[in-house]
Amino acid sequence: MSELLVKPSGNTGKVIDVTPQSAGWRYVGFALHKLTAGQSVSAATGDREVCLVFVSGTGSVTAGGETLGKMGERKSPFDGKPAAVYVPGHSDWSVTAETEVELAVCSAPALSHRAVNVIGPDAMSQEVRGKGTNVRHVTNILPETDGVADSLLVVEVITPGGHTSSYPPHKHDRDALPEESYLEETYYHRLNPHQGFAFQRVYTDDRSLDETLLIEDGVTTLVPRGYHPCAAIHGYDLYYLNVMAGPHRRWKFHNQPEHEWLLGG
């Protein structure tokens, strides 16, 4: 199996655990917890900031010593906007599941002292990108314009069956602002219906990295560098939760020149 593909380790508890150490990079962490009603998970943030995203289900949340109440309304990541909570470094959080919960824990280095911030569905902007069979639907959870986080960028995307996404191919693997930013990235994938599949290719210009990955429901892909387009097959919608972080909280990407003509006209 490719080192860029992380499959879930089970059906309950922490089923995905990507750390900078396990990924061989410096910034992005991603974990996925599956909880049954009544189960709890908690952690201290240490020197990292965290964004909790309710992929599905409802849970009671505390963070930074505050009781935040119940969050999360959707039963599926394909059903409306999520609920999320930003938790700064040197703090703590806990979630107790009221229903079955799929909780994403997105993390990156904390650089300053910030406050806990509840990011409700009404605070998240949505947009449609692309045209034709390159249309996809984006929900901005932690965009660079919000001023909430030090390092984290978090976004959800739904790509309809038969469409492409993260396409035309682009990359963000050079610390060369204003032309391009360096951002590590994870994709947490879900499919609807769940038995479907999709494809993702991760590759560099010189092809020193060139892998085509079979995407099934519940897997996570790592993008340490290079281009990383996705393709959803007919009949199966593709959801992914993106986590990005790097030395600067800027998403400035470079399109692959051979395919940039697709943006015209």
Side-chain angles (χ1 to χ4, degrees), residues 179-221:
E179 290 81 17
E180 186 177 347
S181 57
Y182 174 86
L183 293 170
E184 301 159 356
E185 185 170 18
T186 58
Y187 280 67
Y188 172 60
H189 292 282
R190 294 292 308 279
L191 285 139
N192 186 33
H194 67 87
Q195 71 270 23
F197 60 93
F199 297 99
Q200 185 165 24
R201 185 184 179 196
V202 182
Y203 63 102
T204 55
D205 285 309
D206 64 3
R207 303 303 193 267
S208 60
L209 174 63
D210 190 357
E211 297 197 29
T212 301
L213 307 171
L214 173 65
I215 302 305
E216 295 179 294
D217 190 50
V219 305
T220 297
T221 58

Side-chain angles (χ1 to χ4, degrees), residues 71-166:
M71 295 185 186
E73 298 177 353
R74 65 186 186 180
K75 295 181 180 180
S76 159
F78 297 91
D79 181 24
K81 299 178 184 178
V85 182
Y86 172 82
V87 188
H90 306 290
S91 187
D92 56 75
W93 60 269
S94 68
V95 172
T96 300
E98 302 287 337
T99 66
E100 288 189 354
V101 166
E102 195 169 2
L103 179 73
V105 182
C106 318
S107 70
L111 306 177
S112 65
H113 180 72
R114 293 178 178 268
V116 171
N117 198 313
V118 175
I119 310 165
D122 292 344
M124 299 176 189
S125 64
Q126 290 187 308
E127 58 185 292
V128 177
R129 294 181 188 160
K131 60 183 181 180
T133 55
N134 199 39
V135 163
R136 60 271 200 206
H137 305 275
V138 179
T139 299
N140 297 301
I141 300 171
L142 274 183
E144 65 181 87
T145 54
D146 63 9
V148 170
D150 289 326
S151 303
L152 275 171
L153 297 165
V154 182
V155 64
E156 287 186 339
V157 179
I158 293 179
T159 306
H163 287 218
T164 50
S165 193
S166 295

